[in-house]
Amino acid sequence: MIEIVYDKDGQTEDNIFAGITLPKNIRQIGVPSGNRRIYIEDYVMTYLNQLANPNSTFARGAILVGETVRSVNGEVIFISGALAAQNLELDLEESIFDGETWSYIYQEVKTYFPDLEVVGWFLSRMGFSTAINDMIVKIHMDNFAGPDKVLYIMDALEGEDAFYLMEEEGLRRQSGYYIYYARNEAMQNFMIASKGDTESDETNEVEQRDEAVMHNYKRIMEERAKNAKIERMNRRLSGICSGLVVAVLALGIAVFSNYQMLEKIEYKLIENGISISGNKGKMFSDTDGRMEETRQENQKSEEGAAKKEGGEAVDTAKVRSAAANLPQYYTVQNGDTLSSISFKMYNSVGYVAELMEANGLGEADDIHEGDRILIPTVHMEGS
């Protein structure tokens, strides 16, 4: 395109347009020719360039308003206003100009440009060049028929634009047009109003994005708290499992190393009529010398329980039952855990739950050195 900038001090010297008052300050695009000229106001061009912003991936359209001035030999189309056409943002096959659409367009024209009329339409399609196709021609013929109705096409991606007018052979591309500069309060007011709507939409979009960010942040924090809780539980369970493994290994070693000795002691105790069910757990954890000492203590206890003042026999089963029902306490030592205390008192780590229940302890509670805890009576296997 050839662009020529100059001032016109008066009416054009071209006799074709004699009698038509033309703008003084203009910018010529291309080489206009023929007996029809197109003039578009600078504010309108600014607005249309905004609609055709390269960041917009949709088709954009507008209704062009202005006036047509005719003389005996020539015709000038002045475009001094534009309104965005929402129905042209869809695919061209879905762009419908029905009664409701035209009613809205005429209402907008009456509101912002009461002294102007529809003189054509604008279409922006990025990457489709400024060439026209059958669908574009059909939309123009169906809705903008007449020799004085223009079609202005822009491809912002390629930086091209072109005007079309209806001639005998159909829509024909014009070789040039003029941009003129004038005081255009109507278009300025419309651009301010449309900018306010756009800013309002952008504000709503920002608020929606902020809300989405806050929602996502809360969700992340909740997940982190949940994961931290699970990690604490896993560490606690890992510690308990480690204690169980150690206890089971210790028990296995004790049983293996003292198995034969225990068999001999058990046999001797049975020969002497002494029950070993209540003492079996104790002997599993003692050394050989301690087991012999335990046997002697148990034997003395049995002999003492068999006597009473006056020489009367005492029911040893009742004595044992009464002793078993007396509450027992244990003082926590340094390094003790409920698992180790269970193993000490019952020769098994399987009574942690009973210790917790008897002392009102929860999973999150700890025991400390010097604490005195109740050792409940439990039904042990084999007793």
Side-chain angles (χ1 to χ4, degrees):
M1 286 289 186
I2 301 174
E3 181 175 333
I4 304 174
V5 180
Y6 63 97
D7 291 337
K8 279 187 173 292
D9 296 327
Q11 295 183 0
T12 177
E13 298 178 357
D14 193 338
N15 292 329
I16 296 178
F17 300 100
I20 300 177
T21 302
L22 299 175
K24 294 181 179 181
N25 299 318
I26 64 172
R27 184 173 62 185
Q28 178 180 329
I29 307 298
V31 184
S33 61
N35 60 351
R36 289 191 293 178
R37 299 285 174 87
I38 299 172
Y39 284 78
I40 182 168
E41 204 275 322
D42 180 63
Y43 279 106
V44 180
M45 286 296 297
T46 300
Y47 176 69
L48 296 180
N49 279 313
Q50 291 175 356
L51 284 184
N53 190 304
N55 293 328
S56 175
T57 57
F58 298 98
R60 303 301 300 272
I63 303 299
L64 305 178
V65 295
E67 59 180 335
T68 302
V69 181
R70 299 178 181 86
S71 66
V72 176
N73 298 317
E75 177 182 271
V76 177
I77 302 172
F78 294 98
I79 303 171
S80 52
L83 299 158
Q86 302 294 334
N87 59 316
L88 289 172
E89 294 185 3
L90 305 173
D91 186 271
L92 290 180
E93 295 181 356
E94 301 178 15
S95 299
I96 300 174
F97 286 86
D98 54 15
E100 182 178 354
T101 302
W102 277 114
S103 177
Y104 174 78
I105 291 173
Y106 285 130
Q107 183 61 43
E108 290 286 283
V109 173
K110 183 179 178 180
T111 301
Y112 294 101
F113 309 101
D115 299 327
L116 304 179
E117 61 182 10
V118 175
V119 294
W121 61 303
F122 165 78
L123 180 64
S124 169
R125 301 173 73 209
M126 281 204 310
F128 285 87
S129 77
T130 56
I132 60 176
N133 55 30
D134 293 341
M135 182 59 65
I136 295 175
V137 173
K138 185 177 186 305
I139 292 176
H140 187 88
M141 296 297 295
D142 291 345
N143 301 280
F144 304 93
D148 56 347
K149 296 295 189 290
V150 302
L151 165 60
Y152 182 33
I153 294 183
M154 184 179 296
D155 182 353
L157 188 64
E158 299 295 334
E160 296 180 355
D161 65 341
F163 272 97
Y164 289 83
L165 280 171
M166 183 61 66
E167 298 185 359
E168 293 181 359
E169 64 272 19
L171 277 175
R172 181 177 178 181
R173 181 170 181 163
Q174 302 301 295
S175 57
Y177 62 92
Y178 297 97
I179 297 175
Y180 72 97
Y181 301 84
R183 184 177 180 180
N184 192 349
E185 293 183 358
M187 191 63 203
Q188 291 179 29
N189 293 335
F190 173 75
M191 291 175 68
I192 292 173
S194 61
K195 182 179 180 181
D197 294 339
T198 303
E199 289 178 348
S200 177
D201 293 339
E202 291 177 351
T203 300
N204 291 334
E205 291 179 1
V206 170
E207 291 177 351
Q208 292 174 1
R209 288 196 298 269
D210 289 345
E211 184 178 353
V213 169
M214 288 301 299
H215 177 75
N216 188 49
Y217 175 76
K218 290 180 179 179
R219 179 181 59 80
I220 292 173
M221 294 305 295
E222 289 175 356
E223 289 182 355
R224 286 182 178 177
K226 182 179 179 181
N227 292 336
K229 184 177 180 181
I230 293 174
E231 186 177 353
R232 289 195 299 270
M233 293 180 64
N234 288 339
R235 287 199 298 265
R236 188 175 299 168
L237 290 174
S238 177
I240 294 174
C241 291
S242 298
L244 289 174
V245 170
V246 172
V248 170
L249 289 175
L251 179 62
I253 293 171
V255 170
F256 181 78
S257 62
N258 296 298
Y259 180 73
Q260 293 181 343
M261 181 62 70
L262 287 173
E263 281 187 336
K264 293 179 181 180
I265 294 174
E266 183 179 357
Y267 179 75
K268 292 295 184 182
L269 290 174
I270 292 175
E271 279 187 341
N272 289 277
I274 299 174
S275 174
I276 63 170
S277 59
N279 300 312
K280 192 181 294 185
K282 180 175 177 59
M283 282 182 260
F284 268 105
S285 59
D286 289 337
T287 61
D288 293 344
R290 290 291 304 277
M291 286 189 291
E292 178 61 22
E293 181 181 346
T294 300
R295 185 191 66 78
Q296 294 175 1
E297 290 177 355
N298 286 339
Q299 185 174 358
K300 289 180 181 179
S301 177
E302 293 287 343
E303 292 174 354
K307 294 182 179 181
K308 183 181 177 183
E309 290 184 6
E312 295 181 1
V314 177
D315 190 340
T316 57
K318 290 183 178 180
V319 173
R320 290 177 185 169
S321 176
N325 290 328
L326 294 175
Q328 299 183 48
Y329 291 90
Y330 175 82
T331 302
V332 178
Q333 306 298 317
N334 184 28
D336 276 345
T337 64
L338 289 178
S339 297
S340 65
I341 293 172
S342 174
F343 185 73
K344 286 180 181 180
M345 304 309 298
Y346 304 110
N347 196 40
S348 171
V349 295
Y351 297 95
V352 173
E354 284 78 357
L355 289 172
M356 293 174 65
E357 181 180 358
N359 291 275
L361 298 175
E363 291 186 359
D365 296 329
D366 297 325
I367 60 175
H368 305 87
E369 182 179 0
D371 290 348
R372 193 163 177 261
I373 63 173
L374 176 64
I375 307 300
T377 301
V378 297
H379 177 72
M380 300 177 61
E381 184 178 349
S383 61

